[in-house]
Amino acid sequence: MVDFGKAFTYIFDDENWFDKLIVPVLVSLIPFIGQITLLGYVLRTVKNVAEGVAEPLPTFKFGEDLGRGFRYLLIGLVYALPIIILGLLVFIPVRISETSSWVLPTILGILLGGLGLAYALLMFLFQPIMTANFAVKDTFASAFEFKEFIRRFRNNITAWLLVLAGLIVASFIAPLGGIFFFIGALITGAYTQFMVAHLQGQAYAASEVKQ
């Protein structure tokens, strides 16, 4: 069972939450490298939640977190390839329209757009499961265990729908910090990442695949 409310408060249940978070959050200010490192730290939080660690916020380890975050970035690039390819294929209807009627280019454009939308929806649905699976196993291959993703989703659909709900809530919370300029956006952005991380870890544990 996923405790939705716990994801909003667990950070502050750790007496050392400030000491644990201040460094990774400040490191995230470093262009590019900082965000990747924070991502790696968040992934370790997912792992701790999934494994039932009482205080899931880990101790910051720059090298380990950077490496984990970088591996996840590479995985993200692999998943982005279909969208990149579809984007390039969009130019085909444009070239066809230069030498033929509008009918064929329009049909091709609709088909490509439909494929892109379907892929985006699949990614929205399964990315939380993929992320949690990678966070726990920390192998490149674990990000592509599609059969396990489907089994976990079927095993506890409600848990993963709550993660998706958390992502939607996070999309509203994250920009609120902008009211207090850059530092506010930094805090709310990091907070929502940890919130979603807790939900992902809970859902992963709640959807443990029964062999």
Side-chain angles (χ1 to χ4, degrees):
M1 182 177 179
V2 172
D3 186 343
F4 195 80
K6 185 71 171 178
F8 293 83
T9 62
Y10 79 98
I11 291 176
F12 309 108
D13 293 336
D14 188 331
E15 293 182 357
N16 299 313
W17 69 269
F18 184 82
D19 293 336
K20 289 181 177 180
L21 292 180
I22 186 62
V23 176
V25 171
L26 289 177
V27 167
S28 71
L29 294 173
I30 302 172
F32 189 65
I33 295 297
Q35 287 297 317
I36 296 175
T37 306
L38 178 62
L39 175 58
Y41 181 86
V42 171
L43 288 168
R44 284 205 292 135
T45 303
V46 175
K47 175 181 172 68
N48 286 347
V49 175
E51 294 180 346
V53 176
E55 295 181 345
L57 291 177
T59 301
F60 180 64
K61 298 178 181 178
F62 181 82
E64 180 178 339
D65 293 329
L66 176 59
R68 190 182 296 255
F70 184 73
R71 289 191 294 277
Y72 187 80
L73 176 64
L74 293 178
I75 290 166
L77 291 175
V78 173
Y79 274 105
L81 285 177
I83 293 296
I84 295 173
I85 293 172
L86 284 173
L88 294 174
L89 290 177
V90 167
F91 289 101
I92 294 177
V94 175
R95 295 303 300 271
I96 293 176
S97 65
E98 295 176 354
T99 58
S100 64
S101 66
W102 58 271
V103 178
L104 181 58
T106 300
I107 294 174
L108 286 174
I110 293 173
L111 288 174
L112 292 172
L115 286 173
L117 179 60
Y119 184 75
L121 289 173
L122 281 174
M123 284 300 299
F124 177 71
L125 188 63
F126 284 103
Q127 185 174 8
I129 308 176
M130 178 275 288
T131 300
N133 200 55
F134 169 76
V136 171
K137 299 178 180 179
D138 193 25
T139 64
F140 196 80
S142 65
F144 304 95
E145 295 176 344
F146 303 113
K147 289 184 179 180
E148 180 161 350
F149 300 163
I150 294 172
R151 287 199 300 268
R152 283 190 177 275
F153 184 75
R154 288 176 175 174
N155 210 42
N156 200 325
I157 296 175
T158 301
W160 294 108
L161 290 180
L162 285 172
V163 177
L164 297 179
L167 284 168
I168 294 172
V169 171
S171 70
F172 287 99
I173 294 177
L176 293 179
I179 298 174
F180 302 101
F181 304 104
F182 177 75
I183 188 64
L186 175 68
I187 293 173
T188 54
Y191 173 75
T192 54
Q193 288 186 63
F194 289 107
M195 182 196 79
V196 173
H198 198 275
L199 289 172
Q200 288 174 320
Q202 286 193 75
Y204 191 85
S207 63
E208 188 65 37
V209 177
K210 298 178 181 178
Q211 302 296 335

